[in-house]
Amino acid sequence: MTSTALLHIRDLTVSIRTSGGTTPVVRGVSLDLFAGRTLAIVGESGSGKTMTAMSVLGLGPPGTPLSLGGEALFDGRDLLTMPDREMRALRGNRIGAVFQDPAGSMNPLMPVGEQIREAARSAGADRGVARAKVAALLDEVGLAQVPGIAGRYPHELSGGQQQRCMIALALAGDPDLLVADEPTTALDSDVADQIIGLLADLRARRRMALLFISHDLGVVSRLAQDIVVMRDGQVVESGSTGQILQNPQQDYTKALIDCTPGTGGPPRARLMTLDMIRSGAVPGPRRPATPGHTVVSVRDLTVKYPGRGLLRPGHLALQSVSLELRAGSSLGLVGASGSGKSTLGRALVGLVATQSGEIRINGRKLAASGRRTVSDRRGMQYVFQDAAGALNPRRTIGQSLLEPQRIHGLPVGALGPMLAEVGLPVDIAHRFPAELSGGQLQRVTIARALALEPDCLICDEITSALDVSSQAQVLNVLSDLQERRKLAILFISHDRALVKHFCDWVLVMKDGHLAGNGTTPISPNIPPKSAKVQESA
Amino acid sequence: MNGRLVRTLLPIGADVFRSLVIAVGIVVFSFFLIRMIPGDIVDVMGIEGTLTYGQQDAMRESLGLDRGWWTQFTAWLGMVLGGDFGDSLRYGTPILNLLRVAMAPTLILGASALAIGLTLGIGLPVLACVFPKSIFVALVQFITLWSIVVPTFSIGILSVIVFAVWLDWIPAIGNIIVPAIILGMDTAGTLAKILHEDMVDTERAAFVRTARAKGLSRWRIVLRHILPNALTVVVALFGILLAGALTGAITTEVVFGLPGLGTLTLQAIQGRDYPVVQAVVIWLGLTVVVANLISDLVQRALDPRIGR
């Protein structure tokens, strides 16, 4: 059985050698991938899933000395002891690789066709063959209709087109094994679906093996026949996809399934977390949908960023955007990066000036210049994506939490209740940001934003840097707070499943417009039909 | 199509316009700067004791130095715009002739220094990148440290003493090889430091991992993927490097007794030969402005992400 595996890994260990000794990142991983099949490695960031795949291909981070142990065979050949020259001949020829960041994964100074041709040449094709191959590969990944695609530079393509080009590049040597490391994570969900479909097609048509690395069980379940779940550099559980998803044996796997929005539970429900599974607790009831009065209203908002330098035209980031935020409800704002969703959030709190239109909070009109009075600022608070960057590293959590009240001259509250509200113990107040995990930090920034008792909270991609289990905790905290304080939340995210789970209304942004109803204001009582999330009674 | 052309040409026009504004600034600056130094050519000659007070006044009048700065400036500006820099106050010969003679040694020195600088400054970081655990990394660090620590004029004087006076390998005056190497080392150090750091950064870029995944050889990864991306930064610095090489050439020339622009400038400043100083400053300034403009345009051509 094992002798026929295309990729055979036994007790693989990977350690990073540092001046202070070695840090193990992969600890005894075993897996088998057979020709023509798809195996997925699933785990959160830092679980060692990428390191497992990349270290055996010799594609570990440059300048980082790795110690490898155990056994890794590709088609019977030992990958760990193979000289560099033979490994190079294997890569690009029999093993192709696709990575997470399609924009950065291609040389920005080279047309994409040229990069694919280089890969084909490197795999041994001669000039004429390589040229013909570029066209054939671009056709195979569905880019044949795009005019002049081979002559374009990576930055002239959309994210989906870039990833298709990367796939074409990885296939240039007609590999037996394609390694795809989070290939859809940086893409919009629609585009991600198309890429997943393409990968499934290609694998079947070319009869190659696919090693798929992802944190997203939803994606994995559509592609993989077998799943290996990893955590802390070790395999937690492995088996067929059906077996893992339907009948998980380990607590961690169960939590991973349940805390992923979209795979477990109805919308607005509180999510299962790892701690709940361990303690046998059940998530609280669903958050009731009781939209109150209008807290924030935005009418025909337009924001223009000035051009850089002399004679350079500016860029319209927002065009005639109108929306309502109501007490006790969440409005989701989804869209690709650069669609203007963060700009909208920033315009609301006055971080960017607006050109036209108006913003009202509790009926009071805010200045277009972005100037805000003290009371304006108290009404609306912002939670940023990068929690670690949003907290002063030289201040303790307690100092950071009490700062808003000091600035606004309010009576300084007690730290205990503030931290308890976001589910953190009070002793955390004496620690520094560097000592906390990403999920804990994000809950601290939420507690800080709430210190001024705002009516409205703007959450800008607050969970995108977090693991699914931390994400579930943060979302649960936010649900509780919203119910208790009747908060109006503007929830900005690129993750549609997440937004659909968490929000009462969803608006889609594209190129600075609200898709569908870019110019007409939304009536407060009748949200646009397409945007209304189905409520299961 | 037309819109695309406009989008391409507009930023280039903006670059050219900006360069012109700087050039005008240099022309104005060069006139007033030299007049900030107390004493004019007549004072300098008077100190030397060659002229009586009456002769001094007559000379000022004939040279036009008795008029106000503004009158002098407009008259001079009219001449310069007509392409005439006037005559040297000291020698009475046309300045363009003086410049033409003096420029040859400076250009030869500056060009050879730049050639040495570019060869070492690009070659060493490339070798250090291809062979990351070799002596080349140490060489990059050495040449960087050298250019920071060792001023060109002091090592110039030292090498005149060692090679010309003690060892008698080179003539004390008029040798061009040693100053070219000294200046080249200086340029190479700045260049090597920036390029090496940039290549180390680029090494971590995702597209370099893609290049490795393609199975390319180390040389090909470095020359086709890492170097071009790191070079876009260096091209932006080309104007500054050229300015450094030229100003370096001026001081080094004086040390090695080369009859170039540097020597001419030094004499002109000491003798308050205003029109000569103005002409040299304008010429050097315009060279740097043009070099900067060219490096901007080259960068635009190299990097498809800029200005399209």
Side-chain angles (χ1 to χ4, degrees):
Chain A
M1 179 84 174
T2 46
S3 59
T4 56
L6 183 66
L7 183 65
H8 169 83
I9 294 176
R10 275 294 165 278
D11 294 324
L12 178 76
T13 58
V14 182
S15 306
I16 296 173
R17 285 202 303 274
T18 59
S19 51
T22 59
T23 313
V25 284
V26 176
R27 302 182 290 178
V29 167
S30 301
L31 54 87
D32 283 300
L33 174 55
F34 295 90
R37 285 179 74 84
T38 303
L39 173 76
I41 306 181
V42 178
E44 298 176 319
S45 56
S47 62
K49 57 187 192 302
T50 297
M51 196 57 105
T52 301
M54 291 305 151
S55 59
V56 296
L57 300 183
L59 291 177
T64 310
L66 297 178
S67 296
L68 298 161
E71 193 183 23
L73 303 179
F74 176 78
D75 207 7
R77 295 164 69 191
D78 190 345
L79 290 169
L80 301 185
T81 58
M82 188 179 280
D84 212 34
R85 182 177 295 272
E86 277 179 53
M87 179 68 101
R88 269 213 314 267
L90 216 53
R91 286 199 304 251
N93 203 346
R94 297 200 57 198
I95 305 175
V98 179
F99 306 104
Q100 175 169 353
D101 168 27
S105 293
M106 278 183 290
N107 189 337
L109 305 185
M110 226 189 248
V112 291
E114 173 63 20
Q115 302 191 42
I116 299 169
R117 203 182 63 82
E118 188 186 41
R121 289 278 288 147
S122 162
D126 64 31
R127 274 170 205 284
V129 176
R131 199 174 305 124
K133 196 148 195 180
V134 171
L137 284 166
L138 285 170
D139 183 35
E140 202 177 346
V141 297
L143 288 174
Q145 305 89 335
V146 185
I149 177 82
R152 295 207 195 173
Y153 290 93
H155 75 279
E156 297 174 318
L157 305 178
S158 70
Q161 289 172 331
Q162 287 167 347
Q163 197 59 294
R164 283 169 192 270
C165 283
M166 263 309 287
I167 294 170
L169 193 154
L171 295 178
D174 297 318
D176 303 313
L177 169 64
L178 183 65
V179 180
D181 183 8
E182 303 261 14
T184 60
T185 307
L187 303 174
D188 295 336
S189 49
D190 296 347
V191 181
D193 284 350
Q194 293 167 14
I195 296 291
I196 297 293
L198 176 67
L199 282 174
D201 271 6
L202 289 170
R203 191 204 55 76
R205 206 182 317 147
R206 288 175 164 259
R207 296 175 211 284
M208 61 184 180
L210 181 60
L211 180 61
F212 192 84
I213 300 162
S214 178
H215 70 282
D216 188 341
L217 271 171
V219 167
V220 163
S221 60
R222 296 177 44 198
L223 260 182
Q225 283 124 3
D226 302 295
I227 293 180
V228 172
V229 180
M230 277 187 74
R231 189 185 195 208
D232 295 335
Q234 287 171 313
V235 173
V236 174
E237 193 169 358
S238 64
S240 75
T241 302
Q243 187 188 328
I244 296 276
L245 290 181
Q246 311 303 324
N247 187 21
Q249 298 302 307
Q250 300 293 320
D251 285 350
Y252 181 72
T253 316
K254 288 179 198 162
L256 207 57
I257 294 168
D258 286 343
C259 64
T260 307
T263 55
R268 303 177 59 82
R270 283 162 178 83
L271 294 158
M272 182 73 101
T273 65
L274 195 54
D275 293 338
M276 288 181 187
I277 286 177
R278 291 232 172 92
S279 63
V282 286
R286 288 192 320 128
R287 183 161 41 98
T290 51
H293 62 283
T294 299
V295 176
V296 177
S297 75
V298 175
R299 291 270 174 276
D300 292 325
L301 196 66
T302 300
V303 171
K304 187 178 183 182
Y305 286 125
R308 223 162 35 82
L310 215 59
L311 300 175
R312 280 173 198 155
H315 159 69
L316 266 177
L318 282 184
Q319 298 177 47
S320 312
V321 170
S322 303
L323 52 85
E324 302 265 343
L325 281 176
R326 309 181 67 186
S329 75
S330 310
L331 177 67
L333 197 58
V334 291
S337 55
S339 61
K341 51 190 197 307
S342 287
T343 302
L344 177 59
R346 277 160 204 220
L348 287 180
V349 289
L351 290 173
V352 294
T354 57
Q355 256 61 44
S356 64
E358 60 169 40
I359 306 168
R360 283 175 187 275
I361 174 162
N362 291 326
R364 203 171 58 251
K365 192 171 177 228
L366 301 183
S369 63
R371 270 187 65 90
R372 295 286 185 266
T373 64
V374 172
S375 60
D376 290 343
R377 289 206 189 281
R378 279 182 58 185
M380 212 184 312
Q381 290 289 312
Y382 206 106
V383 183
F384 295 91
Q385 173 175 3
D386 176 14
L391 289 166
N392 188 333
R394 306 289 293 268
R395 291 202 178 152
T396 63
I397 299 302
Q399 287 170 331
S400 285
L401 279 176
L402 296 179
E403 194 179 21
Q405 292 165 337
R406 292 221 172 86
I407 291 172
H408 286 261
L410 297 174
V412 173
L415 286 167
M418 286 174 83
L419 284 165
E421 209 169 23
V422 293
L424 291 172
V426 69
D427 60 312
I428 234 172
H430 304 290
R431 301 187 23 206
F432 286 93
E435 302 169 55
L436 269 58
S437 76
Q440 289 174 320
L441 289 173
Q442 197 58 286
R443 284 187 276 163
V444 169
T445 61
I446 292 172
R448 181 174 61 175
L450 293 174
L452 296 174
E453 310 201 333
D455 301 313
C456 169
L457 205 58
I458 297 165
C459 300
D460 190 355
E461 301 269 11
I462 58 167
T463 61
S464 59
L466 303 180
D467 299 328
V468 274
S469 55
S470 314
Q471 170 176 288
Q473 280 178 335
V474 169
L475 291 180
N476 285 349
V477 160
L478 215 51
S479 293
D480 294 343
L481 287 167
Q482 181 168 47
E483 192 180 333
R484 210 176 309 141
R485 295 197 178 199
K486 296 284 168 240
L487 276 173
I489 295 180
L490 178 66
F491 195 84
I492 301 171
S493 174
H494 67 279
D495 185 342
R496 272 173 206 229
L498 179 65
V499 169
K500 275 185 181 155
H501 173 83
F502 185 77
C503 298
D504 306 295
W505 289 283
V506 182
L507 292 175
V508 180
M509 276 211 103
K510 199 175 180 211
D511 300 331
H513 293 281
L514 285 179
N517 57 345
T519 49
T520 51
I522 315 163
S523 149
N525 295 322
I526 318 153
K529 210 173 180 182
S530 61
K532 182 91 170 92
V533 169
Q534 286 186 340
E535 286 274 336
S536 51
Chain B
M1 191 63 215
N2 226 342
R4 196 185 168 109
L5 196 68
V6 168
R7 272 204 304 282
T8 312
L9 289 181
L10 201 66
I12 294 177
D15 279 354
V16 173
F17 179 72
R18 203 174 47 215
S19 301
L20 282 175
V21 171
I22 295 171
V24 169
I26 289 169
V27 169
V28 175
F29 196 59
S30 72
F31 181 86
F32 292 103
L33 190 67
I34 181 66
R35 282 169 174 74
M36 300 280 166
I37 309 174
D40 58 19
I41 182 167
V42 183
D43 289 327
V44 173
M45 290 182 143
I47 289 161
E48 287 165 356
T50 49
L51 296 172
T52 67
Y53 285 115
Q55 284 172 314
Q56 287 180 18
D57 289 344
M59 187 171 168
R60 281 210 177 88
E61 204 179 324
S62 75
L63 293 175
L65 294 174
D66 56 338
R67 286 178 284 165
W69 281 11
W70 184 249
T71 324
Q72 291 184 44
F73 179 64
T74 46
W76 172 73
L77 198 62
M79 258 169 38
V80 169
L81 289 180
D84 182 10
F85 284 92
D87 296 342
S88 160
L89 298 185
R90 172 168 289 235
Y91 305 109
T93 47
I95 289 170
L96 282 177
N97 290 353
L98 283 179
L99 277 182
R100 205 170 297 139
V101 174
M103 213 174 275
T106 307
L107 277 185
I108 293 171
L109 179 60
S112 22
L114 209 57
I116 293 172
L118 288 176
T119 313
L120 284 178
I122 294 176
L124 283 179
V126 165
L127 287 167
C129 191
V130 176
F131 308 106
K133 282 184 186 130
S134 62
I135 180 110
F136 297 112
V137 181
L139 279 177
V140 167
Q141 282 158 356
F142 170 76
I143 201 163
T144 302
L145 209 58
W146 173 277
S147 77
I148 294 169
V149 172
V150 184
T152 48
F153 54 86
S154 63
I155 191 68
I157 292 169
L158 206 65
S159 46
V160 168
I161 294 171
V162 173
F163 295 116
V165 180
W166 292 354
L167 298 172
D168 205 19
W169 287 353
I170 59 165
I173 285 176
N175 178 275
I176 204 156
I177 299 165
V178 174
I181 292 174
I182 289 172
L183 269 180
M185 290 274 283
D186 205 48
T187 312
T190 318
L191 188 57
K193 176 179 163 54
I194 299 162
L195 190 58
H196 180 65
E197 280 172 5
D198 234 60
M199 289 180 86
V200 170
D201 280 348
T202 311
E203 177 92 59
R204 296 196 197 97
F207 64 83
V208 174
R209 184 177 52 184
T210 305
R212 285 159 65 205
K214 283 180 187 178
L216 302 181
S217 69
R218 183 70 194 157
W219 273 105
R220 200 173 163 84
I221 292 173
V222 171
L223 292 181
R224 288 271 289 171
H225 295 275
I226 298 179
L227 182 63
N229 278 280
L231 265 184
T232 52
V233 176
V234 173
V235 170
L237 287 170
F238 183 72
I240 296 168
L241 286 176
L242 186 80
L246 275 176
T247 47
I250 286 177
T251 50
T252 318
E253 249 171 36
V254 177
V255 171
F256 284 88
L258 288 165
L261 272 186
T263 313
L264 180 72
T265 314
L266 189 70
Q267 285 169 358
I269 292 173
Q270 283 170 343
R272 306 294 187 274
D273 198 345
Y274 293 159
V276 173
V277 177
Q278 289 157 19
V280 173
V281 171
I282 288 174
W283 188 82
L284 285 178
L286 290 187
T287 311
V288 174
V289 169
V290 169
N292 266 316
L293 181 62
I294 291 173
S295 75
D296 275 2
L297 296 180
V298 169
Q299 208 186 1
R300 225 172 259 292
L302 280 184
D303 193 336
R305 288 165 300 186
I306 304 176
R308 278 186 203 171

